[in-house]
Amino acid sequence: MLDLQTVWGAIAESFRKVSTPVTYSTWIASAQPISLINHQLTIKLPSALHKDYWESNLTQELVEFAYQATHEDIQPDFVVDIDPVETATRKTTSDNANENVPTFMKETKLNPKYTFDTFVIGKGNQMAHAAALVVSEEPGAMYNPLFFYGGVGLGKTHLMHAIGNKMMLDRPNTRVKYVTSEAFTNDFINAIQTKTQEQFRQEYRNADLLLVDDIQFFADKEGTQEEFFHTFNSLYDDGKQIVLTSDRLPREIPKLQDRLVSRFAWGLSVDITPPDLETRIAILRNKANADHIDIPDDTLSYIAGQIDSNVRELEGALARVHAYSKLKNTPISTDLVAKSLKSLNLGNSHAEITILSIQNAVASYYHVSLADLKGKKRMKSIVMPRQIAMYLCRELTDNSLPKIGTEFGGKDHTTVIHAYEKITESLKNDTNLQNEISDLKNELKR
Ligand SMILES: Nc1ncnc2c1ncn2[C@@H]1O[C@H](COP(=O)(O)OP(=O)(O)OP(=O)(O)O)[C@@H](O)[C@H]1O
């Protein structure tokens, strides 16, 4: 006989090990086991949204963890908690009553360091910077929403905060609301759980400037998208400015509702691409000055030459080099940096994988010329390697889609999206293709 509490204890523990604390507390801790009868595990969840989430994201793991705990095939059955009396009792008797305080009640602060003054303008971000400046001066007028997209650590959040900081400085009464898409989701769920949806709406819909970071995490979250759609409409209709960031274009975000994709296109979408060498040196110089780190120019150039994709890594390298010099009690020099980057194993991970290195590897693997790979020929023997190369560029580098298209003989970014989707789809069933891509990845990472 399987004991409900023991089985659930084991399952919850397995989830805890593989989940982030936020995921665990938002989705898993609120689930209540009700019964385990004839291999059917009934679980009570606090809302329909939770049920959706469990069904689409957690069921497979649940069955797996249940099997690990019992060596039996257990099927879940989710029911939604609709007993308001019991919900209220549970809320008041909860030991962790504070957890129920909606997070949107807490003040969200902008990072005061992320300003236009501390932002270094270069080729990859000048459009984004110019648009951000316009929006901070004339919010709600020209570019609404303003949408920044691009690889990780390239300054999207920085620019978004710079808009907020400038508006607060110019008009101190401006109500600025900054959230990540995950925080928006959590606020929304808390509002449902604590029946404070009205406060949630007030909080978001009364903002003069709403900044939502990393909206790619709205993927798959139907209920949150629905709520965000109404938030967006309400702000937009009132002429309030909305700024969004994502690691990709809206239409590339899986399962983002079409009506959101089209609304996001009403304003201006600008990509941010990795900084060139001069910009990287300038960013490092600024950072060194701000942190009072004494470092010769040639050493700055050396670091900027080693780390070429991501500004966060660039800053991280400087901080580590600084720490290393303190540890060794030696002033920073190029020699010391070379040693410290080596000992810290920095600057050699993804820096070597570039569009060109991918094109070369794919061309030689499939015996096609580089010119054909970048050209327009439509034979299958060339189209397939071309699509694979585009797919790998998207997977293994931080380059934007337009940039990848350009490097493939000036193709449109939609061609790159098509290639990426085609290969992703084929990879699901085609084992030969799986092996070939795996060979290529190994080759590139060697
Ligand atoms: N042009 C720049 N000038 C000065 N600092 C920059 C610049 N670009 C990025 N940074 C710094 O790099 C770090 C990472 O930037 P940020 O967090 O804005 O990246 P992001 O594009 O939002 O990344 P993610 O997609 O991971 O959220 C921050 O400390 C930011 O201040």
Side-chain angles (χ1 to χ4, degrees):
M1 172 84 183
L2 297 169
D3 171 62
L4 173 66
Q5 293 306 333
T6 315
V7 172
W8 183 252
I11 293 172
E13 180 56 18
S14 300
F15 270 118
R16 204 186 48 73
K17 284 190 191 142
V18 300
S19 313
T20 63
V22 173
T23 305
Y24 187 83
S25 67
T26 309
W27 303 107
I28 296 154
S30 54
Q32 258 192 312
I34 300 296
S35 62
L36 180 53
I37 301 164
N38 289 340
H39 293 92
Q40 176 154 318
L41 173 60
T42 303
I43 298 162
K44 188 153 83 173
L45 299 170
S47 73
L49 192 76
H50 281 78
K51 184 167 184 275
D52 268 5
Y53 190 87
W54 271 88
E55 283 172 350
S56 44
N57 299 300
L58 302 175
T59 300
Q60 232 171 338
E61 276 172 312
L62 173 68
V63 172
E64 174 95 28
F65 294 152
Y67 184 81
Q68 284 168 12
T70 61
H71 295 281
E72 308 263 0
D73 279 326
I74 289 179
Q75 286 307 318
D77 179 33
F78 302 108
V79 294
V80 175
D81 180 0
I82 46 164
D83 182 349
V85 178
E86 200 199 330
T87 312
T89 323
R90 207 151 24 96
K91 238 191 298 172
T92 49
T93 55
S94 165
D95 291 342
N96 300 318
N98 281 342
E99 280 179 7
N100 285 329
V101 174
T103 52
F104 59 84
M105 304 279 279
K106 298 174 201 145
E107 192 64 39
T108 321
K109 295 245 164 32
L110 294 170
N111 185 333
K113 288 189 183 158
Y114 290 173
T115 63
F116 285 115
D117 285 345
T118 56
F119 191 80
V120 177
I121 306 165
K123 232 194 270 165
N125 63 33
Q126 62 193 11
M127 270 284 289
H129 173 267
L133 207 55
V134 168
V135 158
S136 71
E137 280 161 4
E138 287 187 68
M142 289 269 278
Y143 307 133
N144 205 13
L146 177 58
F147 190 99
F148 295 130
Y149 67 98
V152 294
L154 295 181
K156 300 184 294 294
T157 305
H158 187 135
L159 269 185
M160 179 180 239
H161 284 228
I163 296 172
N165 280 320
K166 181 158 177 355
M167 279 179 63
M168 297 283 285
L169 200 67
D170 294 349
R171 313 162 203 213
N173 292 331
T174 309
R175 285 163 300 192
V176 177
K177 180 83 186 154
Y178 165 79
V179 274
T180 61
S181 63
E182 282 186 313
F184 182 90
T185 305
N186 293 336
D187 280 358
F188 176 50
I189 293 169
N190 278 331
I192 293 174
Q193 282 175 342
T194 55
K195 307 211 174 356
T196 51
Q197 284 102 319
E198 196 39 49
Q199 271 164 284
F200 169 88
R201 290 187 181 129
Q202 294 262 332
E203 174 80 16
Y204 279 91
R205 296 180 193 182
N206 283 337
D208 298 310
L209 170 67
L210 177 65
L211 310 168
V212 187
D213 215 350
D214 291 327
I215 60 142
Q216 68 271 17
F217 296 121
F218 276 159
D220 281 336
K221 298 189 178 115
E222 276 289 319
T224 308
Q225 288 188 29
E226 173 81 25
E227 185 61 32
F228 188 69
F229 174 73
H230 296 298
T231 307
F232 183 101
N233 289 344
S234 163
L235 289 170
Y236 188 88
D237 290 345
D238 288 348
K240 302 300 170 56
Q241 179 70 44
I242 301 154
V243 183
L244 308 165
T245 77
S246 168
D247 65 350
R248 62 198 87 175
L249 278 166
R251 53 167 295 186
E252 287 179 69
I253 300 173
K255 304 214 177 127
L256 186 66
Q257 296 172 359
D258 286 347
R259 56 189 187 163
L260 282 178
V261 174
S262 75
R263 267 165 184 73
F264 294 168
W266 283 350
L268 177 72
S269 301
V270 213
D271 71 336
I272 302 190
T273 56
D276 57 14
L277 182 67
E278 285 72 29
T279 314
R280 297 201 299 278
I281 295 172
I283 290 173
L284 278 177
R285 184 171 294 124
N286 268 16
K287 184 82 184 143
N289 288 344
D291 294 349
H292 308 290
I293 300 173
D294 204 7
I295 180 164
D297 279 352
D298 63 327
T299 310
L300 284 181
S301 307
Y302 178 81
I303 300 176
Q306 295 290 304
I307 295 168
D308 68 357
S309 57
N310 176 328
V311 181
R312 190 175 291 124
E313 277 185 23
L314 201 61
E315 291 187 336
L318 182 67
R320 288 178 207 201
V321 163
H322 182 49
Y324 191 80
S325 97
K326 288 206 149 165
L327 187 78
K328 297 276 169 195
N329 205 11
T330 318
I332 300 179
S333 64
T334 304
D335 199 34
L336 184 94
V337 166
K339 275 198 202 114
S340 75
L341 290 187
K342 202 164 166 218
S343 83
L344 296 164
N345 201 19
L346 268 174
N348 58 2
S349 46
H350 6 260
E352 286 163 13
I353 302 183
T354 60
I355 296 179
L356 186 62
S357 71
I358 291 171
Q359 290 171 331
N360 279 326
V362 172
S364 104
Y365 190 88
Y366 290 105
H367 306 290
V368 296
S369 72
L370 205 53
D372 278 346
L373 202 68
K374 296 182 181 192
K376 292 202 166 95
K377 287 186 188 157
R378 303 289 315 150
M379 286 101 84
K380 191 163 183 241
S381 58
I382 296 172
V383 171
M384 190 71 175
R386 187 183 293 143
Q387 291 180 332
I388 290 173
M390 288 179 176
Y391 168 87
L392 288 171
C393 288
R394 184 84 184 100
E395 276 273 305
L396 302 178
T397 77
D398 283 334
N399 290 288
S400 69
L401 293 167
K403 168 79 176 157
I404 296 172
T406 307
E407 297 299 323
F408 278 81
K411 296 193 175 55
D412 192 58
H413 72 271
T414 52
T415 311
V416 185
I417 296 174
H418 174 70
Y420 185 78
E421 284 171 354
K422 176 94 194 302
I423 299 299
T424 307
E425 194 51 40
S426 307
L427 272 173
K428 288 184 188 154
N429 303 315
D430 186 340
T431 45
N432 283 340
L433 184 64
Q434 289 165 7
N435 291 336
E436 290 167 17
I437 297 243
S438 151
D439 282 353
L440 278 163
K441 282 188 175 171
N442 288 337
E443 172 75 25
L444 283 160
K445 286 179 179 160
R446 200 174 293 149

